[in-house]
């Protein structure tokens, strides 16, 4: 919060102007980079920028995203968005810690590669970067625990 409050109007304008997703090509494959996830049943161009930044869990009957419960748990009768991911692109995303050590490769329902790069930096883990061309991972250990993990 301290860092956010220290940002200038120019910084905030820059951040607000960033695209909600980015499509890149690497080793003959198309990848989409998003903060959190993608809504099933929607083309990339119709994805809601607000949901891309927050999506984790989806109701499999309605395909609507659901937020965490008040105690930061998975909502009942939902699945993680990758279980229903139906676009033809591979994805790199963060926002949900799958491992405190290394990025995790998830295989989508149609064989898509989904790489979860959130390795818990905010919770004392690492800040991780994944290199698409080589599969290499670069990491920096957090200096401290900035928030308490809800496990």
């Amino acid at each position: 919060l301290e860092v956010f409050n220290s940002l200038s109007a120019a910084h905030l304008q820059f951040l607000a102007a960033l695209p909600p997703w980015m499509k890149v090509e690497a080793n003959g494959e198309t990848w989409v980079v998003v903060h959190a996830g993608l809504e099933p049943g929607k083309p990339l161009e119709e994805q809601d920028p607000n949901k891309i930044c927050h999506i984790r869990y989806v109701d499999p009957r309605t395909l609507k995203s659901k937020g965490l419960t008040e105690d930061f748990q998975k909502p009942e009768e939902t699945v993680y968005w990758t279980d229903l991911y139906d676009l033809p692109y591979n994805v790199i995303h963060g926002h949900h810690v799958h491992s405190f050590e290394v990025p995790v490769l998830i295989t989508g329902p149609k064989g898509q590669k989904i790489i979860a790069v959130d390795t818990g930096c905010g919770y004392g883990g690492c800040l991780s970067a994944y290199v698409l061309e080589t599969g290499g991972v670069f990491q920096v250990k957090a200096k401290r625990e900035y928030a308490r993990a809800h496990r």
Side-chain angles (χ1 to χ4, degrees), residues 10-113:
H11 287 123
L12 294 173
Q13 284 179 318
F14 169 78
L15 292 171
L18 291 173
W21 51 266
M22 185 171 67
K23 193 186 292 186
V24 296
E25 300 288 328
N27 299 331
E29 296 180 305
T30 303
W31 290 83
V32 173
V33 182
V34 296
H35 176 76
L38 294 164
E39 291 182 276
K42 283 192 177 180
L44 192 57
E45 296 75 18
E46 294 177 19
Q47 294 285 323
D48 181 335
N50 292 316
K51 290 185 180 174
I52 285 176
C53 289
H54 299 285
I55 192 168
R56 283 188 181 117
Y57 297 104
V58 176
D59 181 324
R61 296 161 301 186
T62 66
L63 300 184
K64 301 287 184 197
S65 65
K66 299 268 186 168
L68 295 175
T69 64
E70 286 184 21
D71 59 346
F72 300 100
Q73 299 302 309
K74 174 184 176 239
E76 287 186 31
E77 299 181 12
T78 62
V79 297
Y80 196 66
W81 72 270
T82 58
D83 292 348
L84 300 173
Y85 177 62
D86 55 355
L87 295 177
Y89 315 110
N90 299 313
V91 178
I92 293 183
H93 76 95
H95 192 68
H96 185 82
V97 180
H98 290 276
S99 165
F100 278 83
E101 282 124 41
V102 296
V104 172
L105 173 63
I106 301 165
T107 302
K110 295 182 177 181
Q112 314 95 316
K113 296 175 194 165

Side-chain angles (χ1 to χ4, degrees), residues 92 103 117 119 126-132 135-140:
I92 293 183
V117 296
T119 47
C126 294
L127 178 64
S128 297
Y130 186 87
V131 181
L132 285 173
V137 176
F138 291 91
Q139 294 182 305
V140 176

